[in-house]
Amino acid sequence: MTMLKSTAVALAMLASASAFAPSTRRPTRHTVSMAVDRNPNFAKLQAGYLFPEIGRRRNAHLEKNPDANIISLGIGDTTMPIPDHILSGLVGAASELGVKETYSGYGAEQGKAGLREKIASKLYNDKIKPEEVFVSDGAKCDIARLQMMFGSKVISAVQDPSYPVYVDTSVMMGQTGTMDTDKSQFDNIVYMPCNPGNGFFPDLKSMPRADVIYFCSPNNPTGAAATKSQLTELVKHANEQGSIIVFDAAYAPFIRSDDVPKSIFEIPGAETCSIEVNSFSKYAGFTGVRLGWTIVPSGLKFSDGSLVRDDYNRVMTTCFNGASNVVQGGGMACLDDAGLTEINTLIDYYLENAKILKKGAEEMGFKVHGGDDAPYVFIDLEGKSSWDMFSKILTEADVVTIPGAGFGPGGEGFLRLSAFAPRDSCIEAIARLKKLNFD
């Protein structure tokens, strides 16, 4: 009888599982085009997104050289484990879901009140209000949501070179014309040259007016960090032009220089012309955990007087169900005193890596930028092709880098190295590169 019961239970479990399993029968596949037009804006995009393309080339190299010991100084993905106190916040929040009294389901789309309050007080010294904080699953996603809010009619300005998301989302939203192949630039985007000649800060006076100005400091990929006087100039320009700055502060914790602000809201007047996006990804090793935030000040208005915050709130409540309760528990732990200490330790580790990479590149005779208030080292190739150099280093040294051309036309002739790697990998990578002939 017991055996019959066990068999019945097992059969019931199998039947239950099969309800979720896909059919094993292979459907007949037909190559039929639907009567739905492709979004023409996607046809404008050039090749694939940069970082998957880097991954594709890395994998192709591994297929040809399966024994290669590849070191990645490429994508800015953290490699150190999440520290104990911050991890305890994630574990504790996950455990609460297994107890009836502490279980939680849907939360506020804007984020837990306690986390919004902590971000406002701990990271902004109460310069902004908790209701101006929108917690999310990361800065990259928030940039796309901001683009959705701004719509297709705005003209955007980007640093050149810059993080590819600003340009690609502008293209997807229909803000741009087609690619000018001679310039490697999209029509209807304002490209702001940022190079060694201007200290990686654009000449704002010669720049055509843009509705939205995307500005990242410390910058990805150049590693340049804008000073207080430079950001004061940027805010003054935006207020005079009636433009909105989208300030990407994802690398703010790497700032060690006294004259480099960690937030655009340290600049007087920013509250009437700026939005700030940020993320715990680089702060606490949350690249795979996903938690970020966007600040939209209550005083920021569109030309008709309506509040930008209200429209962004509508985007968040319509298109997002809020960051994971578990992840927000980790975010709360990040902003405890113990968590902030752990973050500083992590950042110091990566900054030391950046010093190793920068010093090594300089010893090889390269002119090098960044690496001081940022985790990126930007190497001047003095006119050489960045993709060619990427390929040479990958094939001859088994080291992955990022070609500057992937960040826009202004990045051609440069190579980006990321300090988000284990210490021994950084040391070994430099040793390998020193054996190459770059003449």
Side-chain angles (χ1 to χ4, degrees), residues 399-432:
V399 174
V400 175
T401 58
I402 300 288
F407 297 96
E412 180 55 286
F414 293 87
L415 197 73
R416 194 196 78 175
L417 305 183
S418 167
F420 292 115
R423 178 70 45 78
D424 57 352
S425 294
C426 294
I427 294 170
E428 172 63 19
I430 290 298
R432 292 185 193 180

PDB file of all heavy atoms in Angstrom, residues 399-432:
ATOM      1  N   VAL A 399      44.998  39.168 -24.423  1.00  0.00           N
ATOM      2  CA  VAL A 399      44.436  40.188 -23.530  1.00  0.00           C
ATOM      3  C   VAL A 399      43.317  40.919 -24.264  1.00  0.00           C
ATOM      4  O   VAL A 399      43.501  41.367 -25.404  1.00  0.00           O
ATOM      5  CB  VAL A 399      45.508  41.197 -23.069  1.00  0.00           C
ATOM      6  CG1 VAL A 399      44.878  42.330 -22.261  1.00  0.00           C
ATOM      7  CG2 VAL A 399      46.577  40.494 -22.241  1.00  0.00           C
ATOM      8  N   VAL A 400      42.163  41.028 -23.613  1.00  0.00           N
ATOM      9  CA  VAL A 400      41.018  41.744 -24.187  1.00  0.00           C
ATOM     10  C   VAL A 400      41.049  43.191 -23.720  1.00  0.00           C
ATOM     11  O   VAL A 400      41.150  43.472 -22.519  1.00  0.00           O
ATOM     12  CB  VAL A 400      39.687  41.093 -23.772  1.00  0.00           C
ATOM     13  CG1 VAL A 400      38.505  41.918 -24.285  1.00  0.00           C
ATOM     14  CG2 VAL A 400      39.598  39.669 -24.288  1.00  0.00           C
ATOM     15  N   THR A 401      40.977  44.113 -24.656  1.00  0.00           N
ATOM     16  CA  THR A 401      40.875  45.546 -24.371  1.00  0.00           C
ATOM     17  C   THR A 401      39.612  46.065 -25.067  1.00  0.00           C
ATOM     18  O   THR A 401      38.818  45.292 -25.574  1.00  0.00           O
ATOM     19  CB  THR A 401      42.119  46.286 -24.883  1.00  0.00           C
ATOM     20  OG1 THR A 401      42.237  46.056 -26.303  1.00  0.00           O
ATOM     21  CG2 THR A 401      43.381  45.775 -24.187  1.00  0.00           C
ATOM     22  N   ILE A 402      39.437  47.364 -25.110  1.00  0.00           N
ATOM     23  CA  ILE A 402      38.302  47.950 -25.832  1.00  0.00           C
ATOM     24  C   ILE A 402      38.833  49.017 -26.792  1.00  0.00           C
ATOM     25  O   ILE A 402      39.496  49.969 -26.368  1.00  0.00           O
ATOM     26  CB  ILE A 402      37.279  48.606 -24.880  1.00  0.00           C
ATOM     27  CG1 ILE A 402      36.706  47.583 -23.910  1.00  0.00           C
ATOM     28  CG2 ILE A 402      36.146  49.240 -25.686  1.00  0.00           C
ATOM     29  CD1 ILE A 402      35.745  46.586 -24.503  1.00  0.00           C
ATOM     30  N   PRO A 403      38.549  48.881 -28.094  1.00  0.00           N
ATOM     31  CA  PRO A 403      38.975  49.900 -29.058  1.00  0.00           C
ATOM     32  C   PRO A 403      38.185  51.187 -28.872  1.00  0.00           C
ATOM     33  O   PRO A 403      36.956  51.164 -28.743  1.00  0.00           O
ATOM     34  CB  PRO A 403      38.683  49.254 -30.417  1.00  0.00           C
ATOM     35  CG  PRO A 403      37.600  48.263 -30.137  1.00  0.00           C
ATOM     36  CD  PRO A 403      37.817  47.774 -28.737  1.00  0.00           C
ATOM     37  N   GLY A 404      38.886  52.303 -28.870  1.00  0.00           N
ATOM     38  CA  GLY A 404      38.232  53.585 -28.653  1.00  0.00           C
ATOM     39  C   GLY A 404      37.183  53.919 -29.690  1.00  0.00           C
ATOM     40  O   GLY A 404      36.207  54.630 -29.393  1.00  0.00           O
ATOM     41  N   ALA A 405      37.344  53.400 -30.918  1.00  0.00           N
ATOM     42  CA  ALA A 405      36.381  53.687 -31.984  1.00  0.00           C
ATOM     43  C   ALA A 405      34.982  53.213 -31.627  1.00  0.00           C
ATOM     44  O   ALA A 405      33.987  53.725 -32.152  1.00  0.00           O
ATOM     45  CB  ALA A 405      36.837  53.044 -33.287  1.00  0.00           C
ATOM     46  N   GLY A 406      34.878  52.252 -30.722  1.00  0.00           N
ATOM     47  CA  GLY A 406      33.564  51.760 -30.315  1.00  0.00           C
ATOM     48  C   GLY A 406      32.779  52.761 -29.496  1.00  0.00           C
ATOM     49  O   GLY A 406      31.578  52.576 -29.266  1.00  0.00           O
ATOM     50  N   PHE A 407      33.432  53.834 -29.060  1.00  0.00           N
ATOM     51  CA  PHE A 407      32.769  54.865 -28.258  1.00  0.00           C
ATOM     52  C   PHE A 407      32.473  56.121 -29.072  1.00  0.00           C
ATOM     53  O   PHE A 407      32.149  57.163 -28.501  1.00  0.00           O
ATOM     54  CB  PHE A 407      33.645  55.230 -27.055  1.00  0.00           C
ATOM     55  CG  PHE A 407      33.876  54.085 -26.107  1.00  0.00           C
ATOM     56  CD1 PHE A 407      35.024  53.314 -26.199  1.00  0.00           C
ATOM     57  CD2 PHE A 407      32.942  53.766 -25.131  1.00  0.00           C
ATOM     58  CE1 PHE A 407      35.256  52.250 -25.335  1.00  0.00           C
ATOM     59  CE2 PHE A 407      33.163  52.709 -24.260  1.00  0.00           C
ATOM     60  CZ  PHE A 407      34.316  51.944 -24.365  1.00  0.00           C
ATOM     61  N   GLY A 408      32.597  56.019 -30.381  1.00  0.00           N
ATOM     62  CA  GLY A 408      32.341  57.173 -31.244  1.00  0.00           C
ATOM     63  C   GLY A 408      33.585  57.565 -32.012  1.00  0.00           C
ATOM     64  O   GLY A 408      34.703  57.123 -31.688  1.00  0.00           O
ATOM     65  N   PRO A 409      33.427  58.413 -33.030  1.00  0.00           N
ATOM     66  CA  PRO A 409      34.566  58.789 -33.873  1.00  0.00           C
ATOM     67  C   PRO A 409      35.698  59.434 -33.096  1.00  0.00           C
ATOM     68  O   PRO A 409      36.865  59.285 -33.447  1.00  0.00           O
ATOM     69  CB  PRO A 409      33.952  59.751 -34.896  1.00  0.00           C
ATOM     70  CG  PRO A 409      32.652  60.203 -34.290  1.00  0.00           C
ATOM     71  CD  PRO A 409      32.173  59.049 -33.477  1.00  0.00           C
ATOM     72  N   GLY A 410      35.371  60.138 -32.016  1.00  0.00           N
ATOM     73  CA  GLY A 410      36.409  60.778 -31.211  1.00  0.00           C
ATOM     74  C   GLY A 410      37.275  59.793 -30.443  1.00  0.00           C
ATOM     75  O   GLY A 410      38.324  60.165 -29.921  1.00  0.00           O
ATOM     76  N   GLY A 411      36.845  58.539 -30.390  1.00  0.00           N
ATOM     77  CA  GLY A 411      37.617  57.525 -29.684  1.00  0.00           C
ATOM     78  C   GLY A 411      38.626  56.801 -30.556  1.00  0.00           C
ATOM     79  O   GLY A 411      39.461  56.046 -30.040  1.00  0.00           O
ATOM     80  N   GLU A 412      38.542  57.026 -31.874  1.00  0.00           N
ATOM     81  CA  GLU A 412      39.504  56.371 -32.752  1.00  0.00           C
ATOM     82  C   GLU A 412      40.910  56.849 -32.432  1.00  0.00           C
ATOM     83  O   GLU A 412      41.136  58.028 -32.156  1.00  0.00           O
ATOM     84  CB  GLU A 412      39.172  56.670 -34.215  1.00  0.00           C
ATOM     85  CG  GLU A 412      40.121  56.017 -35.216  1.00  0.00           C
ATOM     86  CD  GLU A 412      40.257  54.519 -35.056  1.00  0.00           C
ATOM     87  OE1 GLU A 412      40.920  54.088 -34.082  1.00  0.00           O
ATOM     88  OE2 GLU A 412      39.711  53.780 -35.888  1.00  0.00           O
ATOM     89  N   GLY A 413      41.849  55.888 -32.452  1.00  0.00           N
ATOM     90  CA  GLY A 413      43.218  56.222 -32.098  1.00  0.00           C
ATOM     91  C   GLY A 413      43.519  56.087 -30.618  1.00  0.00           C
ATOM     92  O   GLY A 413      44.605  56.451 -30.167  1.00  0.00           O
ATOM     93  N   PHE A 414      42.547  55.539 -29.867  1.00  0.00           N
ATOM     94  CA  PHE A 414      42.740  55.306 -28.430  1.00  0.00           C
ATOM     95  C   PHE A 414      42.320  53.879 -28.084  1.00  0.00           C
ATOM     96  O   PHE A 414      41.558  53.241 -28.814  1.00  0.00           O
ATOM     97  CB  PHE A 414      41.918  56.293 -27.589  1.00  0.00           C
ATOM     98  CG  PHE A 414      42.364  57.718 -27.697  1.00  0.00           C
ATOM     99  CD1 PHE A 414      41.867  58.537 -28.713  1.00  0.00           C
ATOM    100  CD2 PHE A 414      43.261  58.256 -26.794  1.00  0.00           C
ATOM    101  CE1 PHE A 414      42.269  59.864 -28.827  1.00  0.00           C
ATOM    102  CE2 PHE A 414      43.666  59.587 -26.896  1.00  0.00           C
ATOM    103  CZ  PHE A 414      43.175  60.383 -27.913  1.00  0.00           C
ATOM    104  N   LEU A 415      42.796  53.407 -26.948  1.00  0.00           N
ATOM    105  CA  LEU A 415      42.458  52.079 -26.441  1.00  0.00           C
ATOM    106  C   LEU A 415      42.098  52.220 -24.973  1.00  0.00           C
ATOM    107  O   LEU A 415      42.800  52.890 -24.217  1.00  0.00           O
ATOM    108  CB  LEU A 415      43.665  51.144 -26.599  1.00  0.00           C
ATOM    109  CG  LEU A 415      43.418  49.642 -26.506  1.00  0.00           C
ATOM    110  CD1 LEU A 415      42.708  49.150 -27.767  1.00  0.00           C
ATOM    111  CD2 LEU A 415      44.748  48.895 -26.340  1.00  0.00           C
ATOM    112  N   ARG A 416      40.982  51.586 -24.558  1.00  0.00           N
ATOM    113  CA  ARG A 416      40.576  51.655 -23.154  1.00  0.00           C
ATOM    114  C   ARG A 416      40.937  50.371 -22.424  1.00  0.00           C
ATOM    115  O   ARG A 416      40.650  49.267 -22.899  1.00  0.00           O
ATOM    116  CB  ARG A 416      39.067  51.884 -23.033  1.00  0.00           C
ATOM    117  CG  ARG A 416      38.635  52.299 -21.627  1.00  0.00           C
ATOM    118  CD  ARG A 416      37.144  52.150 -21.401  1.00  0.00           C
ATOM    119  NE  ARG A 416      36.784  50.758 -21.158  1.00  0.00           N
ATOM    120  CZ  ARG A 416      35.552  50.354 -20.841  1.00  0.00           C
ATOM    121  NH1 ARG A 416      34.567  51.232 -20.765  1.00  0.00           N
ATOM    122  NH2 ARG A 416      35.298  49.069 -20.640  1.00  0.00           N
ATOM    123  N   LEU A 417      41.562  50.533 -21.255  1.00  0.00           N
ATOM    124  CA  LEU A 417      41.823  49.409 -20.362  1.00  0.00           C
ATOM    125  C   LEU A 417      40.954  49.571 -19.122  1.00  0.00           C
ATOM    126  O   LEU A 417      40.831  50.667 -18.580  1.00  0.00           O
ATOM    127  CB  LEU A 417      43.295  49.366 -19.935  1.00  0.00           C
ATOM    128  CG  LEU A 417      44.367  49.331 -21.028  1.00  0.00           C
ATOM    129  CD1 LEU A 417      45.751  49.209 -20.390  1.00  0.00           C
ATOM    130  CD2 LEU A 417      44.123  48.208 -22.010  1.00  0.00           C
ATOM    131  N   SER A 418      40.351  48.486 -18.667  1.00  0.00           N
ATOM    132  CA  SER A 418      39.504  48.514 -17.481  1.00  0.00           C
ATOM    133  C   SER A 418      40.244  47.938 -16.289  1.00  0.00           C
ATOM    134  O   SER A 418      40.887  46.884 -16.382  1.00  0.00           O
ATOM    135  CB  SER A 418      38.226  47.709 -17.736  1.00  0.00           C
ATOM    136  OG  SER A 418      37.532  47.476 -16.519  1.00  0.00           O
ATOM    137  N   ALA A 419      40.132  48.618 -15.152  1.00  0.00           N
ATOM    138  CA  ALA A 419      40.771  48.164 -13.915  1.00  0.00           C
ATOM    139  C   ALA A 419      39.910  47.171 -13.148  1.00  0.00           C
ATOM    140  O   ALA A 419      40.300  46.723 -12.062  1.00  0.00           O
ATOM    141  CB  ALA A 419      41.088  49.369 -13.027  1.00  0.00           C
ATOM    142  N   PHE A 420      38.742  46.810 -13.700  1.00  0.00           N
ATOM    143  CA  PHE A 420      37.859  45.854 -13.025  1.00  0.00           C
ATOM    144  C   PHE A 420      38.322  44.426 -13.317  1.00  0.00           C
ATOM    145  O   PHE A 420      37.659  43.660 -14.014  1.00  0.00           O
ATOM    146  CB  PHE A 420      36.415  46.051 -13.492  1.00  0.00           C
ATOM    147  CG  PHE A 420      35.809  47.349 -13.045  1.00  0.00           C
ATOM    148  CD1 PHE A 420      35.456  48.316 -13.976  1.00  0.00           C
ATOM    149  CD2 PHE A 420      35.591  47.610 -11.704  1.00  0.00           C
ATOM    150  CE1 PHE A 420      34.887  49.516 -13.572  1.00  0.00           C
ATOM    151  CE2 PHE A 420      35.033  48.811 -11.292  1.00  0.00           C
ATOM    152  CZ  PHE A 420      34.677  49.763 -12.229  1.00  0.00           C
ATOM    153  N   ALA A 421      39.457  44.084 -12.766  1.00  0.00           N
ATOM    154  CA  ALA A 421      40.035  42.760 -12.961  1.00  0.00           C
ATOM    155  C   ALA A 421      40.769  42.387 -11.686  1.00  0.00           C
ATOM    156  O   ALA A 421      41.114  43.259 -10.882  1.00  0.00           O
ATOM    157  CB  ALA A 421      40.997  42.768 -14.151  1.00  0.00           C
ATOM    158  N   PRO A 422      41.025  41.114 -11.463  1.00  0.00           N
ATOM    159  CA  PRO A 422      41.844  40.737 -10.302  1.00  0.00           C
ATOM    160  C   PRO A 422      43.234  41.361 -10.402  1.00  0.00           C
ATOM    161  O   PRO A 422      43.760  41.561 -11.502  1.00  0.00           O
ATOM    162  CB  PRO A 422      41.899  39.206 -10.395  1.00  0.00           C
ATOM    163  CG  PRO A 422      40.690  38.825 -11.198  1.00  0.00           C
ATOM    164  CD  PRO A 422      40.503  39.942 -12.180  1.00  0.00           C
ATOM    165  N   ARG A 423      43.841  41.661  -9.263  1.00  0.00           N
ATOM    166  CA  ARG A 423      45.141  42.326  -9.229  1.00  0.00           C
ATOM    167  C   ARG A 423      46.197  41.556 -10.031  1.00  0.00           C
ATOM    168  O   ARG A 423      46.930  42.138 -10.829  1.00  0.00           O
ATOM    169  CB  ARG A 423      45.583  42.472  -7.773  1.00  0.00           C
ATOM    170  CG  ARG A 423      46.959  43.105  -7.537  1.00  0.00           C
ATOM    171  CD  ARG A 423      46.989  44.577  -7.881  1.00  0.00           C
ATOM    172  NE  ARG A 423      45.860  45.313  -7.388  1.00  0.00           N
ATOM    173  CZ  ARG A 423      45.681  45.724  -6.120  1.00  0.00           C
ATOM    174  NH1 ARG A 423      46.598  45.458  -5.213  1.00  0.00           N
ATOM    175  NH2 ARG A 423      44.609  46.412  -5.775  1.00  0.00           N
ATOM    176  N   ASP A 424      46.245  40.232  -9.833  1.00  0.00           N
ATOM    177  CA  ASP A 424      47.270  39.459 -10.533  1.00  0.00           C
ATOM    178  C   ASP A 424      47.064  39.471 -12.043  1.00  0.00           C
ATOM    179  O   ASP A 424      48.023  39.391 -12.810  1.00  0.00           O
ATOM    180  CB  ASP A 424      47.342  38.027 -10.001  1.00  0.00           C
ATOM    181  CG  ASP A 424      46.026  37.284 -10.081  1.00  0.00           C
ATOM    182  OD1 ASP A 424      45.001  37.905 -10.415  1.00  0.00           O
ATOM    183  OD2 ASP A 424      46.012  36.066  -9.807  1.00  0.00           O
ATOM    184  N   SER A 425      45.809  39.602 -12.477  1.00  0.00           N
ATOM    185  CA  SER A 425      45.524  39.681 -13.916  1.00  0.00           C
ATOM    186  C   SER A 425      46.045  40.986 -14.504  1.00  0.00           C
ATOM    187  O   SER A 425      46.573  41.008 -15.620  1.00  0.00           O
ATOM    188  CB  SER A 425      44.020  39.556 -14.176  1.00  0.00           C
ATOM    189  OG  SER A 425      43.547  38.274 -13.819  1.00  0.00           O
ATOM    190  N   CYS A 426      45.898  42.086 -13.756  1.00  0.00           N
ATOM    191  CA  CYS A 426      46.421  43.374 -14.220  1.00  0.00           C
ATOM    192  C   CYS A 426      47.938  43.333 -14.354  1.00  0.00           C
ATOM    193  O   CYS A 426      48.509  43.802 -15.353  1.00  0.00           O
ATOM    194  CB  CYS A 426      46.006  44.491 -13.261  1.00  0.00           C
ATOM    195  SG  CYS A 426      44.231  44.820 -13.214  1.00  0.00           S
ATOM    196  N   ILE A 427      48.585  42.750 -13.356  1.00  0.00           N
ATOM    197  CA  ILE A 427      50.050  42.656 -13.382  1.00  0.00           C
ATOM    198  C   ILE A 427      50.507  41.779 -14.550  1.00  0.00           C
ATOM    199  O   ILE A 427      51.444  42.129 -15.282  1.00  0.00           O
ATOM    200  CB  ILE A 427      50.565  42.105 -12.034  1.00  0.00           C
ATOM    201  CG1 ILE A 427      50.269  43.109 -10.908  1.00  0.00           C
ATOM    202  CG2 ILE A 427      52.057  41.800 -12.101  1.00  0.00           C
ATOM    203  CD1 ILE A 427      50.507  42.565  -9.515  1.00  0.00           C
ATOM    204  N   GLU A 428      49.847  40.631 -14.720  1.00  0.00           N
ATOM    205  CA  GLU A 428      50.216  39.719 -15.806  1.00  0.00           C
ATOM    206  C   GLU A 428      49.950  40.340 -17.176  1.00  0.00           C
ATOM    207  O   GLU A 428      50.742  40.173 -18.106  1.00  0.00           O
ATOM    208  CB  GLU A 428      49.431  38.414 -15.660  1.00  0.00           C
ATOM    209  CG  GLU A 428      49.562  37.433 -16.818  1.00  0.00           C
ATOM    210  CD  GLU A 428      50.964  36.912 -17.049  1.00  0.00           C
ATOM    211  OE1 GLU A 428      51.800  37.009 -16.123  1.00  0.00           O
ATOM    212  OE2 GLU A 428      51.239  36.420 -18.158  1.00  0.00           O
ATOM    213  N   ALA A 429      48.837  41.069 -17.305  1.00  0.00           N
ATOM    214  CA  ALA A 429      48.509  41.698 -18.588  1.00  0.00           C
ATOM    215  C   ALA A 429      49.600  42.686 -18.996  1.00  0.00           C
ATOM    216  O   ALA A 429      50.028  42.704 -20.164  1.00  0.00           O
ATOM    217  CB  ALA A 429      47.162  42.406 -18.499  1.00  0.00           C
ATOM    218  N   ILE A 430      50.051  43.504 -18.069  1.00  0.00           N
ATOM    219  CA  ILE A 430      51.110  44.464 -18.377  1.00  0.00           C
ATOM    220  C   ILE A 430      52.392  43.733 -18.765  1.00  0.00           C
ATOM    221  O   ILE A 430      53.102  44.128 -19.709  1.00  0.00           O
ATOM    222  CB  ILE A 430      51.350  45.407 -17.182  1.00  0.00           C
ATOM    223  CG1 ILE A 430      50.154  46.358 -17.012  1.00  0.00           C
ATOM    224  CG2 ILE A 430      52.635  46.204 -17.367  1.00  0.00           C
ATOM    225  CD1 ILE A 430      49.902  47.288 -18.187  1.00  0.00           C
ATOM    226  N   ALA A 431      52.706  42.654 -18.059  1.00  0.00           N
ATOM    227  CA  ALA A 431      53.904  41.877 -18.392  1.00  0.00           C
ATOM    228  C   ALA A 431      53.827  41.339 -19.815  1.00  0.00           C
ATOM    229  O   ALA A 431      54.819  41.348 -20.561  1.00  0.00           O
ATOM    230  CB  ALA A 431      54.076  40.742 -17.387  1.00  0.00           C
ATOM    231  N   ARG A 432      52.659  40.875 -20.216  1.00  0.00           N
ATOM    232  CA  ARG A 432      52.481  40.356 -21.582  1.00  0.00           C
ATOM    233  C   ARG A 432      52.611  41.480 -22.609  1.00  0.00           C
ATOM    234  O   ARG A 432      53.247  41.312 -23.655  1.00  0.00           O
ATOM    235  CB  ARG A 432      51.112  39.691 -21.723  1.00  0.00           C
ATOM    236  CG  ARG A 432      50.947  38.409 -20.937  1.00  0.00           C
ATOM    237  CD  ARG A 432      49.582  37.796 -21.256  1.00  0.00           C
ATOM    238  NE  ARG A 432      49.223  36.733 -20.337  1.00  0.00           N
ATOM    239  CZ  ARG A 432      48.080  36.049 -20.410  1.00  0.00           C
ATOM    240  NH1 ARG A 432      47.193  36.337 -21.366  1.00  0.00           N
ATOM    241  NH2 ARG A 432      47.810  35.095 -19.536  1.00  0.00           N
TER     242      ARG A 432
END
